[in-house]
Amino acid sequence: MNGESELPEGWKYVKLGDITSPSKERIDPKADSTIPYLGLEHIESNSSRIIGQGIAGETKSLKTVFHAGDVLYGKLRPYLNKVTIPDFEGVCSTDILVFNQNQNISNRYLMRFLSTQNVVEYANLNSKGISLPRVSFDRLAQISIPLPPLAEQRRIVAAVEALLDRVNASQERLDRVPGLLKAFRQAVLAAACSGRLTEGWRGELLDVENIAEFVEKLRNEKILRDKKRMRYLSVSNFLDRHEIPSTWAWVKLGEISITIDVDHKMPKAIENGISLISPKDFIEPNIIDFENAKKISHDDYDRMCRKIAPESGDILFSRYGTIGKVRKVPGDKKFQISYSLCLIRPFLELKYNDYLYWILQSAPVYHQALANDKSSSIPDVGIKDINNFTIPLPPLPEQHEIVRRVEALFALADRIEERVNAAKERADRLTQAILAKAFRGELVPTEAELAKIEGREYEPASVLLERIREEREAEDLKKKRSSRKRAARKSS
Protein backbone atom coordinates (compact mmCIF):
# COMPACT_ATOMS: atom_id res chain seq x y z
CA MET A 1 0.00 0.00 0.00
CA ASN A 2 1.27 3.49 -0.81
CA GLY A 3 2.33 5.71 2.05
CA GLU A 4 0.19 8.60 3.34
CA SER A 5 2.53 11.11 1.66
CA GLU A 6 1.68 9.68 -1.77
CA LEU A 7 -2.01 10.45 -1.45
CA PRO A 8 -3.45 13.62 -2.99
CA GLU A 9 -3.81 16.62 -0.72
CA GLY A 10 -6.88 16.32 1.50
CA TRP A 11 -7.00 12.48 1.33
CA LYS A 12 -6.30 10.02 4.13
CA TYR A 13 -5.76 6.28 4.47
CA VAL A 14 -8.20 4.72 6.94
CA LYS A 15 -9.08 1.18 7.94
CA LEU A 16 -12.34 -0.01 6.42
CA GLY A 17 -13.55 -0.94 9.91
CA ASP A 18 -13.05 2.67 11.05
CA ILE A 19 -15.65 4.04 8.66
CA THR A 20 -18.23 1.27 8.28
CA SER A 21 -19.42 -2.07 9.64
CA PRO A 22 -21.92 -4.64 8.35
CA SER A 23 -25.56 -4.47 9.33
CA LYS A 24 -26.78 -6.92 11.95
CA GLU A 25 -30.46 -6.47 11.06
CA ARG A 26 -31.94 -9.90 10.41
CA ILE A 27 -35.45 -11.29 10.09
CA ASP A 28 -37.12 -14.65 9.70
CA PRO A 29 -38.17 -14.87 6.00
CA LYS A 30 -41.48 -16.36 7.13
CA ALA A 31 -42.39 -12.95 8.58
CA ASP A 32 -42.83 -11.60 5.04
CA SER A 33 -42.46 -14.41 2.51
CA THR A 34 -43.09 -12.21 -0.55
CA ILE A 35 -40.19 -9.76 -0.17
CA PRO A 36 -37.27 -10.08 -2.65
CA TYR A 37 -34.36 -12.35 -1.79
CA LEU A 38 -30.82 -12.02 -3.16
CA GLY A 39 -28.31 -14.85 -3.02
CA LEU A 40 -24.79 -14.87 -4.41
CA GLU A 41 -26.15 -16.56 -7.53
CA HIS A 42 -28.13 -13.40 -8.26
CA ILE A 43 -25.02 -11.17 -8.43
CA GLU A 44 -22.80 -11.29 -11.51
CA SER A 45 -19.07 -11.60 -10.96
CA ASN A 46 -16.92 -8.53 -11.65
CA SER A 47 -19.78 -6.43 -13.06
CA SER A 48 -21.82 -5.35 -9.96
CA ARG A 49 -24.97 -6.32 -11.89
CA ILE A 50 -27.96 -8.02 -10.27
CA ILE A 51 -29.01 -10.77 -12.68
CA GLY A 52 -32.00 -12.23 -10.85
CA GLN A 53 -33.76 -12.58 -7.54
CA GLY A 54 -35.88 -14.97 -5.52
CA ILE A 55 -38.46 -14.47 -2.81
CA ALA A 56 -37.94 -14.80 0.93
CA GLY A 57 -40.54 -17.56 1.23
CA GLU A 58 -38.30 -19.91 -0.78
CA THR A 59 -35.54 -19.68 1.86
CA LYS A 60 -35.01 -20.97 5.38
CA SER A 61 -33.45 -19.57 8.57
CA LEU A 62 -32.68 -15.93 9.41
CA LYS A 63 -31.69 -13.61 6.57
CA THR A 64 -29.94 -10.22 6.55
CA VAL A 65 -32.11 -7.21 5.71
CA PHE A 66 -30.94 -4.72 3.07
CA HIS A 67 -32.39 -1.40 1.91
CA ALA A 68 -32.21 0.39 -1.41
CA GLY A 69 -28.77 1.95 -1.76
CA ASP A 70 -26.97 -0.40 0.65
CA VAL A 71 -23.71 -2.02 -0.47
CA LEU A 72 -23.87 -5.82 -0.70
CA TYR A 73 -20.54 -7.69 -0.55
CA GLY A 74 -20.22 -11.44 -1.17
CA LYS A 75 -17.88 -12.86 1.47
CA LEU A 76 -18.13 -16.49 0.23
CA ARG A 77 -15.56 -17.23 -2.49
CA PRO A 78 -14.48 -13.56 -2.56
CA TYR A 79 -12.41 -14.20 -5.68
CA LEU A 80 -15.71 -14.10 -7.57
CA ASN A 81 -15.86 -10.35 -6.82
CA LYS A 82 -19.61 -10.10 -6.21
CA VAL A 83 -20.39 -6.58 -5.01
CA THR A 84 -23.52 -4.58 -5.84
CA ILE A 85 -26.01 -1.90 -4.76
CA PRO A 86 -29.71 -2.83 -5.12
CA ASP A 87 -32.32 -0.18 -5.87
CA PHE A 88 -34.95 -2.07 -3.85
CA GLU A 89 -35.18 -3.53 -0.35
CA GLY A 90 -35.31 -7.15 0.67
CA VAL A 91 -33.33 -9.87 2.41
CA CYS A 92 -30.14 -11.60 1.37
CA SER A 93 -27.98 -14.61 2.13
CA THR A 94 -25.89 -14.44 5.30
CA ASP A 95 -22.90 -15.00 2.98
CA ILE A 96 -23.45 -11.39 1.91
CA LEU A 97 -22.28 -8.49 4.08
CA VAL A 98 -24.66 -5.52 4.04
CA PHE A 99 -23.23 -2.02 4.51
CA ASN A 100 -26.01 0.48 5.16
CA GLN A 101 -25.94 3.91 3.57
CA ASN A 102 -23.89 6.49 5.44
CA GLN A 103 -24.21 10.22 4.98
CA ASN A 104 -20.44 10.63 5.38
CA ILE A 105 -19.37 8.04 2.80
CA SER A 106 -20.56 7.68 -0.77
CA ASN A 107 -22.01 4.17 -0.95
CA ARG A 108 -21.05 3.92 -4.62
CA TYR A 109 -17.47 4.95 -3.77
CA LEU A 110 -17.40 2.13 -1.21
CA MET A 111 -18.84 -0.37 -3.68
CA ARG A 112 -16.26 0.52 -6.34
CA PHE A 113 -13.44 0.25 -3.81
CA LEU A 114 -14.60 -3.21 -2.71
CA SER A 115 -14.58 -4.25 -6.39
CA THR A 116 -10.90 -3.41 -6.94
CA GLN A 117 -8.37 -6.15 -7.63
CA ASN A 118 -6.42 -5.21 -4.48
CA VAL A 119 -9.46 -5.93 -2.30
CA VAL A 120 -10.25 -9.16 -4.20
CA GLU A 121 -6.70 -10.43 -3.67
CA TYR A 122 -6.60 -9.35 -0.02
CA ALA A 123 -9.95 -11.01 0.73
CA ASN A 124 -8.93 -14.17 -1.07
CA LEU A 125 -5.64 -14.43 0.86
CA ASN A 126 -7.46 -13.84 4.16
CA SER A 127 -10.27 -16.34 3.57
CA LYS A 128 -10.73 -19.47 5.66
CA GLY A 129 -12.05 -22.78 4.37
CA ILE A 130 -10.92 -24.95 1.46
CA SER A 131 -14.03 -25.88 -0.51
CA LEU A 132 -16.06 -22.90 0.74
CA PRO A 133 -13.59 -20.08 1.47
CA ARG A 134 -15.04 -17.09 3.33
CA VAL A 135 -13.55 -13.83 4.45
CA SER A 136 -14.75 -12.45 7.79
CA PHE A 137 -15.42 -8.78 8.34
CA ASP A 138 -12.81 -8.84 11.12
CA ARG A 139 -10.20 -9.49 8.42
CA LEU A 140 -11.80 -7.25 5.83
CA ALA A 141 -11.98 -4.42 8.36
CA GLN A 142 -8.16 -4.21 8.43
CA ILE A 143 -7.76 -3.27 4.78
CA SER A 144 -6.79 0.36 4.12
CA ILE A 145 -9.04 2.51 1.98
CA PRO A 146 -7.90 5.83 0.48
CA LEU A 147 -10.52 8.32 1.67
CA PRO A 148 -10.99 11.61 -0.24
CA PRO A 149 -13.30 14.46 0.78
CA LEU A 150 -16.98 13.61 0.40
CA ALA A 151 -17.59 15.92 -2.57
CA GLU A 152 -14.60 14.38 -4.34
CA GLN A 153 -15.89 10.86 -3.66
CA ARG A 154 -19.06 11.75 -5.55
CA ARG A 155 -17.16 13.24 -8.50
CA ILE A 156 -14.88 10.21 -8.66
CA VAL A 157 -17.88 7.88 -8.74
CA ALA A 158 -19.54 9.91 -11.51
CA ALA A 159 -16.38 9.77 -13.63
CA VAL A 160 -15.81 6.06 -12.96
CA GLU A 161 -19.36 5.10 -13.83
CA ALA A 162 -19.37 7.18 -17.02
CA LEU A 163 -16.24 5.36 -18.18
CA LEU A 164 -17.46 1.95 -17.05
CA ASP A 165 -20.76 2.46 -18.89
CA ARG A 166 -18.74 2.62 -22.09
CA VAL A 167 -16.64 -0.40 -21.11
CA ASN A 168 -19.76 -2.37 -20.18
CA ALA A 169 -21.44 -1.48 -23.47
CA SER A 170 -18.41 -2.89 -25.29
CA GLN A 171 -18.45 -6.02 -23.12
CA GLU A 172 -22.14 -6.57 -23.84
CA ARG A 173 -21.44 -6.42 -27.57
CA LEU A 174 -18.55 -8.85 -27.14
CA ASP A 175 -20.77 -11.17 -25.07
CA ARG A 176 -23.11 -11.53 -28.05
CA VAL A 177 -20.36 -12.75 -30.38
CA PRO A 178 -20.08 -16.35 -29.07
CA GLY A 179 -23.78 -16.91 -29.78
CA LEU A 180 -23.37 -15.49 -33.27
CA LEU A 181 -20.35 -17.71 -33.91
CA LYS A 182 -22.26 -20.77 -32.68
CA ALA A 183 -25.07 -19.94 -35.12
CA PHE A 184 -22.48 -19.37 -37.86
CA ARG A 185 -20.90 -22.80 -37.28
CA GLN A 186 -24.30 -24.50 -37.41
CA ALA A 187 -25.14 -22.59 -40.60
CA VAL A 188 -21.89 -23.88 -42.14
CA LEU A 189 -22.78 -27.46 -41.20
CA ALA A 190 -26.33 -27.01 -42.49
CA ALA A 191 -24.94 -25.78 -45.81
CA ALA A 192 -22.56 -28.75 -45.85
CA CYS A 193 -25.45 -31.21 -45.24
CA SER A 194 -27.61 -29.76 -48.02
CA GLY A 195 -24.93 -29.34 -50.68
CA ARG A 196 -25.13 -25.53 -50.69
CA LEU A 197 -21.58 -25.24 -49.38
CA THR A 198 -20.10 -26.89 -52.48
CA GLU A 199 -22.73 -25.88 -55.04
CA GLY A 200 -20.32 -23.80 -57.14
CA TRP A 201 -17.57 -26.38 -56.86
CA ARG A 202 -19.94 -29.17 -57.95
CA GLY A 203 -21.09 -27.18 -60.99
CA GLU A 204 -17.54 -27.09 -62.35
CA LEU A 205 -17.16 -30.87 -62.34
CA LEU A 206 -17.41 -32.69 -65.67
CA ASP A 207 -16.98 -36.20 -64.35
CA VAL A 208 -19.12 -36.88 -61.24
CA GLU A 209 -18.52 -40.02 -59.23
CA ASN A 210 -21.47 -42.43 -59.29
CA ILE A 211 -22.88 -42.25 -55.75
CA ALA A 212 -24.79 -45.51 -56.16
CA GLU A 213 -21.55 -47.35 -56.89
CA PHE A 214 -19.90 -45.73 -53.85
CA VAL A 215 -22.81 -46.74 -51.58
CA GLU A 216 -22.74 -50.24 -53.02
CA LYS A 217 -19.07 -50.51 -52.13
CA LEU A 218 -19.86 -49.44 -48.57
CA ARG A 219 -22.75 -51.92 -48.48
CA ASN A 220 -20.47 -54.76 -49.45
CA GLU A 221 -18.08 -53.77 -46.67
CA LYS A 222 -21.05 -53.84 -44.29
CA ILE A 223 -22.04 -57.32 -45.46
CA LEU A 224 -18.51 -58.60 -44.96
CA ARG A 225 -18.46 -57.24 -41.42
CA ASP A 226 -21.97 -58.25 -40.44
CA LYS A 227 -22.77 -61.92 -40.79
CA LYS A 228 -26.35 -61.33 -39.71
CA ARG A 229 -26.97 -59.39 -42.93
CA MET A 230 -29.09 -56.63 -41.38
CA ARG A 231 -31.82 -55.31 -43.67
CA TYR A 232 -30.33 -52.90 -46.20
CA LEU A 233 -32.34 -49.96 -47.50
CA SER A 234 -31.34 -49.15 -51.05
CA VAL A 235 -30.24 -45.72 -52.22
CA SER A 236 -33.58 -44.98 -53.84
CA ASN A 237 -35.37 -45.33 -50.50
CA PHE A 238 -33.72 -42.14 -49.19
CA LEU A 239 -33.80 -39.72 -52.10
CA ASP A 240 -37.11 -38.05 -51.16
CA ARG A 241 -36.40 -37.04 -47.54
CA HIS A 242 -35.49 -33.46 -48.39
CA GLU A 243 -33.79 -31.81 -51.27
CA ILE A 244 -30.16 -32.76 -51.80
CA PRO A 245 -28.08 -32.67 -55.00
CA SER A 246 -28.95 -35.38 -57.50
CA THR A 247 -25.41 -36.71 -57.22
CA TRP A 248 -25.86 -37.38 -53.47
CA ALA A 249 -27.68 -40.16 -51.60
CA TRP A 250 -29.35 -40.68 -48.25
CA VAL A 251 -27.88 -43.55 -46.20
CA LYS A 252 -28.22 -44.89 -42.70
CA LEU A 253 -25.25 -44.34 -40.41
CA GLY A 254 -25.18 -48.09 -39.72
CA GLU A 255 -24.65 -48.79 -43.42
CA ILE A 256 -21.47 -46.77 -43.69
CA SER A 257 -19.94 -47.48 -40.27
CA ILE A 258 -19.83 -49.86 -37.34
CA THR A 259 -21.37 -48.43 -34.17
CA ILE A 260 -20.19 -50.06 -30.95
CA ASP A 261 -21.18 -49.50 -27.33
CA VAL A 262 -19.61 -50.82 -24.14
CA ASP A 263 -20.88 -52.92 -21.26
CA HIS A 264 -22.94 -51.05 -18.69
CA LYS A 265 -20.81 -52.60 -15.95
CA MET A 266 -18.22 -49.93 -15.39
CA PRO A 267 -14.84 -50.71 -13.75
CA LYS A 268 -13.76 -49.16 -10.47
CA ALA A 269 -11.71 -46.00 -10.54
CA ILE A 270 -8.08 -46.12 -9.40
CA GLU A 271 -5.59 -43.34 -8.72
CA ASN A 272 -3.20 -44.08 -11.58
CA GLY A 273 -4.06 -46.09 -14.64
CA ILE A 274 -5.58 -45.82 -18.11
CA SER A 275 -8.06 -43.05 -18.90
CA LEU A 276 -11.77 -43.91 -19.09
CA ILE A 277 -13.34 -41.15 -21.19
CA SER A 278 -16.90 -39.89 -20.72
CA PRO A 279 -18.76 -36.80 -22.07
CA LYS A 280 -17.55 -34.68 -19.13
CA ASP A 281 -14.04 -35.05 -20.55
CA PHE A 282 -15.10 -33.38 -23.82
CA ILE A 283 -13.76 -29.87 -23.31
CA GLU A 284 -13.74 -27.07 -25.82
CA PRO A 285 -12.67 -26.57 -28.47
CA ASN A 286 -13.07 -30.18 -29.66
CA ILE A 287 -10.56 -31.53 -27.14
CA ILE A 288 -10.60 -34.62 -24.93
CA ASP A 289 -9.23 -34.06 -21.42
CA PHE A 290 -7.27 -37.27 -20.81
CA GLU A 291 -5.33 -35.89 -17.84
CA ASN A 292 -8.33 -35.33 -15.55
CA ALA A 293 -10.39 -38.30 -16.74
CA LYS A 294 -11.28 -41.24 -14.49
CA LYS A 295 -8.55 -43.91 -14.42
CA ILE A 296 -9.00 -47.71 -14.63
CA SER A 297 -6.66 -50.68 -14.20
CA HIS A 298 -4.80 -52.38 -17.06
CA ASP A 299 -6.79 -55.57 -16.43
CA ASP A 300 -10.10 -53.71 -16.83
CA TYR A 301 -8.75 -51.98 -19.94
CA ASP A 302 -7.76 -55.33 -21.49
CA ARG A 303 -11.17 -56.81 -20.64
CA MET A 304 -13.01 -53.90 -22.28
CA CYS A 305 -10.74 -54.06 -25.34
CA ARG A 306 -12.10 -57.51 -26.16
CA LYS A 307 -15.24 -55.72 -27.34
CA ILE A 308 -13.89 -52.34 -28.38
CA ALA A 309 -10.48 -50.72 -28.69
CA PRO A 310 -10.60 -47.08 -29.89
CA GLU A 311 -8.21 -46.31 -32.72
CA SER A 312 -7.30 -43.37 -34.92
CA GLY A 313 -10.08 -42.46 -37.34
CA ASP A 314 -12.86 -43.51 -34.97
CA ILE A 315 -15.50 -41.04 -33.78
CA LEU A 316 -16.92 -40.81 -30.25
CA PHE A 317 -20.60 -39.84 -29.90
CA SER A 318 -22.20 -39.07 -26.52
CA ARG A 319 -25.50 -40.91 -26.19
CA TYR A 320 -26.33 -41.01 -22.48
CA GLY A 321 -26.78 -38.10 -20.08
CA THR A 322 -25.37 -35.59 -22.54
CA ILE A 323 -26.50 -36.23 -26.11
CA GLY A 324 -24.79 -35.31 -29.35
CA LYS A 325 -21.25 -34.32 -28.39
CA VAL A 326 -18.72 -35.53 -30.94
CA ARG A 327 -14.95 -36.00 -30.76
CA LYS A 328 -12.30 -37.60 -32.96
CA VAL A 329 -10.13 -40.35 -31.51
CA PRO A 330 -6.47 -39.27 -31.51
CA GLY A 331 -3.97 -41.81 -32.77
CA ASP A 332 -1.47 -41.38 -29.94
CA LYS A 333 -3.67 -42.19 -26.91
CA LYS A 334 -4.48 -45.45 -25.14
CA PHE A 335 -7.88 -45.24 -23.43
CA GLN A 336 -11.33 -46.73 -23.02
CA ILE A 337 -14.79 -45.18 -23.08
CA SER A 338 -17.69 -45.19 -20.62
CA TYR A 339 -21.20 -46.42 -21.42
CA SER A 340 -22.21 -42.78 -21.95
CA LEU A 341 -20.37 -42.90 -25.27
CA CYS A 342 -20.49 -45.05 -28.35
CA LEU A 343 -17.74 -45.51 -30.89
CA ILE A 344 -18.43 -44.99 -34.59
CA ARG A 345 -15.91 -46.57 -36.98
CA PRO A 346 -16.48 -45.46 -40.59
CA PHE A 347 -15.88 -47.90 -43.45
CA LEU A 348 -13.18 -47.65 -46.12
CA GLU A 349 -12.48 -44.16 -47.50
CA LEU A 350 -14.82 -42.55 -44.96
CA LYS A 351 -12.54 -43.41 -42.06
CA TYR A 352 -9.98 -40.60 -42.28
CA ASN A 353 -11.57 -37.83 -44.34
CA ASP A 354 -13.59 -36.28 -41.42
CA TYR A 355 -16.83 -35.90 -43.41
CA LEU A 356 -18.80 -37.98 -40.89
CA TYR A 357 -17.13 -36.19 -37.98
CA TRP A 358 -18.55 -32.85 -39.14
CA ILE A 359 -21.96 -34.15 -40.26
CA LEU A 360 -22.53 -35.82 -36.88
CA GLN A 361 -22.21 -32.37 -35.27
CA SER A 362 -24.91 -30.85 -37.45
CA ALA A 363 -28.35 -29.84 -36.21
CA PRO A 364 -30.22 -32.47 -38.33
CA VAL A 365 -28.30 -35.31 -36.67
CA TYR A 366 -28.71 -33.75 -33.21
CA HIS A 367 -32.47 -33.46 -33.74
CA GLN A 368 -32.61 -37.14 -34.77
CA ALA A 369 -30.79 -38.00 -31.54
CA LEU A 370 -33.28 -36.00 -29.46
CA ALA A 371 -36.22 -37.56 -31.30
CA ASN A 372 -34.92 -41.03 -30.36
CA ASP A 373 -34.44 -40.25 -26.68
CA LYS A 374 -36.84 -42.70 -25.04
CA SER A 375 -35.92 -41.93 -21.44
CA SER A 376 -38.22 -39.96 -19.15
CA SER A 377 -35.37 -38.87 -16.86
CA ILE A 378 -31.78 -39.11 -18.09
CA PRO A 379 -31.39 -38.63 -21.88
CA ASP A 380 -30.54 -41.98 -23.48
CA VAL A 381 -30.24 -42.88 -27.18
CA GLY A 382 -29.81 -46.53 -28.11
CA ILE A 383 -27.24 -47.96 -30.50
CA LYS A 384 -29.98 -49.18 -32.85
CA ASP A 385 -31.37 -45.65 -33.09
CA ILE A 386 -27.91 -44.22 -33.74
CA ASN A 387 -27.39 -46.75 -36.52
CA ASN A 388 -30.65 -45.50 -38.05
CA PHE A 389 -29.54 -41.85 -38.21
CA THR A 390 -30.11 -40.66 -41.77
CA ILE A 391 -26.95 -39.13 -43.28
CA PRO A 392 -26.63 -37.21 -46.59
CA LEU A 393 -23.74 -38.78 -48.51
CA PRO A 394 -22.00 -36.96 -51.38
CA PRO A 395 -19.40 -38.52 -53.68
CA LEU A 396 -15.97 -38.92 -52.12
CA PRO A 397 -14.26 -35.97 -53.91
CA GLU A 398 -17.05 -33.67 -52.76
CA GLN A 399 -16.73 -34.99 -49.19
CA HIS A 400 -13.08 -33.90 -49.23
CA GLU A 401 -14.04 -30.46 -50.53
CA ILE A 402 -16.78 -30.09 -47.91
CA VAL A 403 -14.31 -30.98 -45.15
CA ARG A 404 -11.78 -28.48 -46.51
CA ARG A 405 -14.35 -25.67 -46.61
CA VAL A 406 -15.91 -26.46 -43.23
CA GLU A 407 -12.51 -26.56 -41.55
CA ALA A 408 -11.48 -23.27 -43.20
CA LEU A 409 -14.68 -21.54 -42.06
CA PHE A 410 -14.45 -23.01 -38.56
CA ALA A 411 -10.82 -21.89 -38.34
CA LEU A 412 -12.00 -18.37 -39.26
CA ALA A 413 -14.62 -18.54 -36.50
CA ASP A 414 -11.95 -19.77 -34.05
CA ARG A 415 -9.70 -16.82 -34.91
CA ILE A 416 -12.57 -14.40 -34.38
CA GLU A 417 -13.35 -16.07 -31.05
CA GLU A 418 -9.71 -15.73 -29.96
CA ARG A 419 -9.76 -12.02 -30.83
CA VAL A 420 -13.04 -11.56 -28.95
CA ASN A 421 -11.68 -13.32 -25.86
CA ALA A 422 -8.56 -11.15 -26.00
CA ALA A 423 -10.77 -8.05 -26.28
CA LYS A 424 -12.82 -9.17 -23.28
CA GLU A 425 -9.64 -9.62 -21.25
CA ARG A 426 -8.51 -6.13 -22.24
CA ALA A 427 -11.91 -4.76 -21.20
CA ASP A 428 -11.60 -6.50 -17.82
CA ARG A 429 -8.12 -5.04 -17.36
CA LEU A 430 -9.40 -1.62 -18.42
CA THR A 431 -12.08 -1.75 -15.70
CA GLN A 432 -9.45 -2.41 -13.03
CA ALA A 433 -7.14 0.24 -14.54
CA ILE A 434 -9.94 2.83 -14.28
CA LEU A 435 -10.60 1.89 -10.66
CA ALA A 436 -6.90 1.96 -9.78
CA LYS A 437 -6.57 5.43 -11.30
CA ALA A 438 -9.69 6.60 -9.45
CA PHE A 439 -8.38 5.50 -6.06
CA ARG A 440 -5.02 7.19 -6.66
CA GLY A 441 -6.84 10.49 -7.15
CA GLU A 442 -5.87 10.72 -10.84
CA LEU A 443 -9.28 10.55 -12.49
CA VAL A 444 -10.75 13.94 -11.61
CA PRO A 445 -9.40 17.21 -10.18
CA THR A 446 -9.01 16.92 -6.42
CA GLU A 447 -11.13 18.91 -4.02
CA ALA A 448 -7.98 20.70 -2.83
CA GLU A 449 -7.14 21.79 -6.40
CA LEU A 450 -10.68 23.02 -7.09
CA ALA A 451 -10.78 24.92 -3.78
CA LYS A 452 -7.58 26.78 -4.71
CA ILE A 453 -8.90 27.64 -8.17
CA GLU A 454 -12.27 28.79 -6.79
CA GLY A 455 -10.77 30.55 -3.76
CA ARG A 456 -12.76 28.65 -1.15
CA GLU A 457 -12.26 26.36 1.83
CA TYR A 458 -12.91 22.62 1.68
CA GLU A 459 -13.31 19.83 4.20
CA PRO A 460 -10.35 17.41 4.05
CA ALA A 461 -10.77 13.70 4.77
CA SER A 462 -9.19 14.10 8.21
CA VAL A 463 -12.13 16.29 9.31
CA LEU A 464 -14.59 13.88 7.67
CA LEU A 465 -12.96 10.97 9.50
CA GLU A 466 -13.19 12.80 12.85
CA ARG A 467 -16.92 13.40 12.27
CA ILE A 468 -17.44 9.74 11.43
CA ARG A 469 -15.60 8.76 14.62
CA GLU A 470 -17.70 11.10 16.76
CA GLU A 471 -20.97 9.87 15.23
CA ARG A 472 -19.99 6.23 15.72
CA GLU A 473 -19.04 6.87 19.36
CA ALA A 474 -22.38 8.62 19.91
CA GLU A 475 -24.22 5.68 18.32
CA ASP A 476 -22.30 3.18 20.46
CA LEU A 477 -23.15 5.19 23.61
CA LYS A 478 -26.82 5.25 22.61
CA LYS A 479 -26.81 1.45 22.17
CA LYS A 480 -25.16 0.95 25.57
CA ARG A 481 -27.77 3.14 27.28
CA SER A 482 -30.59 1.23 25.58
CA SER A 483 -29.00 -2.05 26.63
CA ARG A 484 -28.73 -0.89 30.27
CA LYS A 485 -32.37 0.22 30.26
CA ARG A 486 -33.49 -3.18 28.94
CA ALA A 487 -31.39 -4.91 31.57
CA ALA A 488 -32.86 -2.69 34.32
CA ARG A 489 -36.45 -3.44 33.21
CA LYS A 490 -35.72 -7.18 33.26
CA SER A 491 -34.20 -7.05 36.76
CA SER A 492 -37.17 -5.10 38.11
Side-chain angles (χ1 to χ4, degrees):
M1 188 67 75
N2 292 336
E4 197 80 41
S5 61
E6 297 179 11
L7 285 175
E9 183 181 347
W11 288 43
K12 189 173 182 62
Y13 274 124
V14 299
K15 295 290 180 63
L16 181 65
D18 290 338
I19 60 172
T20 190
S21 58
S23 170
K24 295 181 179 179
E25 185 183 0
R26 287 177 171 77
I27 63 168
D28 187 333
K30 294 178 182 177
D32 189 347
S33 61
T34 62
I35 60 175
Y37 165 78
L38 289 180
L40 286 172
E41 68 276 14
H42 300 130
I43 304 172
E44 189 174 54
S45 294
N46 300 311
S47 75
S48 299
R49 288 193 303 180
I50 294 174
I51 54 176
Q53 66 180 52
I55 58 172
E58 296 172 345
T59 66
K60 298 177 180 179
S61 72
L62 293 178
K63 293 291 177 282
T64 306
V65 175
F66 66 83
H67 306 277
D70 289 348
V71 177
L72 274 53
Y73 176 86
K75 66 177 183 177
L76 173 65
R77 298 190 179 98
Y79 54 83
L80 294 175
N81 194 12
K82 295 194 171 190
V83 193
T84 191
I85 294 180
D87 59 1
F88 55 91
E89 60 181 39
V91 296
C92 62
S93 164
T94 51
D95 280 320
I96 296 174
L97 298 176
V98 175
F99 298 100
N100 296 139
Q101 290 192 81
N102 185 323
Q103 62 180 357
N104 297 307
I105 303 293
S106 164
N107 62 333
R108 304 200 75 80
Y109 182 88
L110 177 61
M111 180 196 73
R112 293 301 179 187
F113 172 75
L114 292 173
S115 301
T116 60
Q117 193 60 35
N118 285 342
V119 174
V120 172
E121 291 173 359
Y122 174 89
N124 200 35
L125 288 172
N126 287 275
S127 296
K128 290 186 178 180
I130 298 174
S131 59
L132 296 172
R134 289 178 175 85
V135 62
S136 68
F137 181 69
D138 287 343
R139 298 300 301 166
L140 202 62
Q142 299 306 308
I143 195 168
S144 293
I145 174 173
L147 187 68
L150 184 57
E152 194 171 340
Q153 292 177 36
R154 292 167 178 156
R155 288 189 290 106
I156 288 171
V157 167
V160 165
E161 296 189 345
L163 290 170
L164 292 187
D165 281 347
R166 295 166 63 183
V167 173
N168 291 337
S170 298
Q171 287 177 321
E172 287 175 4
R173 288 193 292 271
L174 291 171
D175 288 341
R176 290 196 291 269
V177 174
L180 296 174
L181 289 176
K182 182 178 181 180
F184 169 76
R185 291 184 177 103
Q186 277 302 318
V188 169
L189 293 178
C193 286
S194 66
R196 297 192 308 275
L197 189 63
T198 45
E199 188 173 9
W201 176 91
R202 190 168 52 252
E204 297 174 359
L205 292 181
L206 298 176
D207 182 21
V208 179
E209 179 184 11
N210 189 311
I211 189 62
E213 292 178 1
F214 181 55
V215 173
E216 184 67 19
K217 183 166 64 171
L218 295 171
R219 183 178 78 92
N220 290 335
E221 178 69 11
K222 172 71 175 176
I223 291 173
L224 289 173
R225 290 173 178 262
D226 186 0
K227 294 181 180 180
K228 293 182 180 179
R229 302 287 181 94
M230 293 176 65
R231 183 171 65 91
Y232 174 72
L233 300 177
S234 66
V235 175
S236 60
N237 289 102
F238 297 102
L239 291 180
D240 296 327
R241 290 189 177 270
H242 66 68
E243 188 176 351
I244 57 173
S246 59
T247 53
W248 292 29
W250 288 108
V251 294
K252 296 283 189 180
L253 180 61
E255 295 169 339
I256 60 177
S257 66
I258 293 177
T259 305
I260 311 169
D261 68 346
V262 296
D263 294 331
H264 280 252
K265 183 181 178 182
M266 285 289 99
K268 292 182 179 179
I270 62 174
E271 187 172 345
N272 295 303
I274 298 174
S275 297
L276 181 73
I277 300 301
S278 67
K280 71 176 179 59
D281 304 310
F282 288 5
I283 59 176
E284 300 301 333
N286 295 318
I287 294 171
I288 300 174
D289 184 5
F290 290 95
E291 184 177 350
N292 296 306
K294 175 182 175 179
K295 300 299 188 293
I296 61 173
S297 69
H298 287 264
D299 287 343
D300 282 325
Y301 170 78
D302 290 338
R303 173 182 59 80
M304 295 177 75
C305 281
R306 295 185 192 120
K307 181 173 184 180
I308 176 176
E311 59 185 47
S312 178
D314 292 345
I315 299 169
L316 303 180
F317 185 90
S318 63
R319 67 179 189 85
Y320 180 83
T322 301
I323 289 180
K325 284 191 173 184
V326 182
R327 292 294 185 273
K328 288 188 288 188
V329 171
D332 59 343
K333 295 291 183 181
K334 182 179 179 181
F335 67 97
Q336 263 298 342
I337 62 173
S338 77
Y339 62 82
S340 300
L341 299 172
C342 69
L343 182 143
I344 298 169
R345 181 167 293 164
F347 292 150
L348 304 174
E349 294 95 337
L350 290 177
K351 180 154 187 175
Y352 295 103
N353 74 4
D354 283 344
Y355 174 77
L356 269 184
Y357 168 71
W358 290 113
I359 294 305
L360 286 170
Q361 297 181 64
S362 66
V365 170
Y366 179 67
H367 292 151
Q368 289 182 68
L370 291 182
N372 285 288
D373 173 19
K374 297 178 175 62
S375 172
S376 59
S377 54
I378 301 175
D380 188 358
V381 181
I383 292 298
K384 182 178 179 182
D385 296 315
I386 293 172
N387 277 324
N388 283 327
F389 287 169
T390 304
I391 304 294
L393 190 70
L396 199 58
E398 192 164 356
Q399 292 178 36
H400 292 305
E401 181 62 16
I402 287 171
V403 169
R404 187 189 70 79
R405 295 191 180 199
V406 167
E407 290 181 346
L409 291 168
F410 271 52
L412 172 63
D414 290 343
R415 289 195 296 274
I416 293 172
E417 202 159 47
E418 288 175 2
R419 293 176 64 181
V420 167
N421 289 336
K424 290 175 71 173
E425 289 179 5
R426 286 196 298 272
D428 290 339
R429 290 196 297 270
L430 181 58
T431 295
Q432 288 300 324
I434 291 170
L435 292 176
K437 192 164 184 161
F439 293 106
R440 290 196 302 266
E442 299 173 0
L443 202 59
V444 298
T446 67
E447 193 66 10
E449 290 169 342
L450 290 179
K452 289 176 184 177
I453 293 171
E454 298 168 3
R456 59 174 172 82
E457 297 294 324
Y458 79 98
E459 182 183 76
S462 57
V463 175
L464 175 63
L465 183 60
E466 182 62 23
R467 187 166 67 250
I468 293 172
R469 185 185 63 78
E470 291 174 354
E471 290 181 0
R472 296 186 79 184
E473 287 178 353
E475 183 64 25
D476 288 343
L477 182 60
K478 182 180 177 181
K479 289 179 180 177
K480 287 178 182 178
R481 286 173 177 169
S482 297
S483 179
R484 284 197 294 266
K485 286 180 181 179
R486 285 196 300 270
R489 283 197 297 268
K490 286 182 180 179
S491 63
S492 61

